[in-house]
């Protein structure tokens, strides 16, 4: 079992790694091994890689409308890591959970399966809470969000400052937008965002190692009522805290 991958937050986490992660790897492997055995069923998942399609303004228009009309949102997500195995797409890791966000820079991304972990930001600080290890890592959010894939959902409206956007055509009943990072300080070559009925329903994060992290969103609710302190993080009792 590899370390947990949080591809959506790449660019935020790389500026400050969990200091105790090295000593926790073996424990993580033990805790996650049983849950991840269920991945045997993942072979039934068919993945079609993002490829440029017909020219259309639909995806870019939907994206702009979504950003303009969505200050906050919540829903469920499923995340799959896909690797190329001798020409065949193979799902090697699956996780799922919930999310809630309020632009700019406030979000709670909760992994529920196969293990529990929370990535949370209050607009100024980032918190990563590992429930099994009862440890929290904190760091300043700074400008890191803007160049990370998470900026597409949680960032400000100036996405084109950090990404080059272009249409990628229709696929799987969705209109796709491709975002290419302008910064070289990233492991991602490109990011695909699939829209349907004005909502983002899927993301494909293509990294420089030939792997693709596929995110799908369900129960997506725009502008839900949120409390003022919804994104305030409370350190769990007895947790070890590491600052970067």
């Amino acid at each position: 079992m590899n370390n947990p991958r949080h591809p959506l937050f790449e660019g935020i986490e790389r500026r400050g790694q969990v200091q105790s992660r090295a000593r926790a790897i073996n424990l993580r492997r033990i805790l996650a091994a049983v849950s991840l055995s269920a991945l045997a069923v993942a072979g039934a998942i068919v993945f079609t890689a993002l490829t440029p399609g017909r020219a259309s303004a639909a995806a870019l228009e939907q994206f702009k409308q979504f950003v303009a009309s969505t200050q906050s949102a919540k829903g469920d997500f499923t995340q799959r890591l896909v690797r190329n195995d001798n020409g065949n797409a193979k799902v090697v890791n699956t996780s799922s959970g919930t999310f809630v966000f309020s632009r700019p820079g406030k979000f709670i991304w909760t992994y529920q399966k196969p293990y529990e972990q929370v990535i949370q930001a209050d607009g100024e600080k980032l918190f990563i809470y590992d429930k099994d290890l009862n440890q929290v890592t904190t760091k300043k959010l700074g400008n890191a969000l803007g160049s990370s894939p998470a900026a597409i959902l949680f960032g400000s409206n100036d996405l084109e400052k950090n990404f080059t956007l272009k249409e990628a055509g229709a696929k799987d009943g969705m209109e796709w937008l491709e975002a290419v990072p302008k910064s070289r300080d990233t492991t991602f070559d490109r990011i695909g965002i699939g829209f349907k009925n004005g909502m983002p329903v899927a993301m494909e994060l293509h990294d420089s190692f030939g792997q693709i992290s596929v995110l799908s969103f369900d129960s997506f609710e725009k502008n839900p009522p949120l409390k003022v302190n919804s994104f305030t993080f409370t350190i769990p009792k007895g947790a070890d805290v590491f600052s970067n």
Side-chain angles (χ1 to χ4, degrees):
M1 172 65 188
N2 295 324
N3 285 351
R5 292 187 77 249
H6 307 129
L8 194 69
F9 304 94
E10 192 274 342
I12 303 176
E13 292 181 300
R14 288 178 69 223
R15 288 167 172 79
Q17 299 296 325
V18 180
Q19 294 182 5
S20 64
R21 180 60 62 187
R23 64 180 174 81
I25 291 176
N26 290 333
L27 179 57
R28 169 63 68 207
R29 287 172 175 167
I30 295 172
L31 292 170
V34 175
S35 296
L36 287 179
S37 64
L39 289 177
V41 301
I45 299 172
V46 178
F47 174 75
T48 305
L50 176 64
T51 55
R54 60 180 176 80
S56 171
L60 185 56
E61 289 177 357
Q62 289 188 64
F63 172 73
K64 290 182 176 179
Q65 291 173 4
F66 170 75
V67 170
S69 63
T70 308
Q71 175 61 33
S72 61
K74 66 179 182 179
D76 303 324
F77 73 88
T78 299
Q79 175 183 309
R80 300 180 179 93
L81 176 62
V82 181
R83 289 176 181 164
N84 189 304
D85 185 8
N86 295 322
N88 297 315
K90 180 180 180 181
V91 178
V92 297
N93 200 329
T94 300
S95 54
S96 60
T98 63
F99 68 88
V100 58
F101 71 81
S102 178
R103 285 200 184 95
K106 296 180 180 180
F107 57 84
I108 305 174
W109 188 270
T110 304
Y111 287 93
Q112 297 174 332
K113 296 179 181 180
Y115 49 82
E116 296 184 53
Q117 193 172 55
V118 176
I119 302 175
Q120 183 168 333
D122 60 9
E124 296 182 358
K125 278 190 173 184
L126 178 74
F127 303 86
I128 303 175
Y129 171 53
D130 191 312
K131 184 176 180 179
D132 293 333
L133 301 176
N134 198 25
Q135 69 178 30
V136 177
T137 299
T138 70
K139 69 180 299 294
K140 290 183 178 180
L141 192 61
N143 297 320
L145 181 63
S147 59
S148 73
I152 294 170
L153 292 177
F154 314 138
S156 59
N157 296 354
D158 60 347
L159 192 65
E160 290 179 279
K161 178 180 179 181
N162 295 295
F163 296 90
T164 299
L165 304 179
K166 67 178 181 179
E167 299 288 343
K171 185 187 72 175
D172 299 335
M174 292 172 277
E175 293 290 339
W176 287 81
L177 182 69
E178 184 177 280
V180 178
K182 292 181 178 180
S183 171
R184 295 183 178 180
D185 185 25
T186 176
T187 62
F188 287 97
D189 295 329
R190 67 185 191 277
I191 302 163
I193 310 103
F195 286 88
K196 187 174 183 180
N197 298 325
M199 303 288 283
V201 294
M203 290 179 68
E204 296 177 353
L205 288 70
H206 298 247
D207 67 27
S208 55
F209 304 104
Q211 302 177 133
I212 306 173
S213 296
V214 182
L215 294 165
S216 57
F217 306 113
D218 298 302
S219 305
F220 204 112
E221 181 182 347
K222 289 175 60 176
N223 301 319
L226 299 174
K227 296 180 179 179
V228 175
N229 62 348
S230 294
F231 301 94
T232 300
F233 186 83
T234 302
I235 303 295
K237 184 179 182 179
D240 294 323
V241 180
F242 302 92
S243 298
N244 288 314

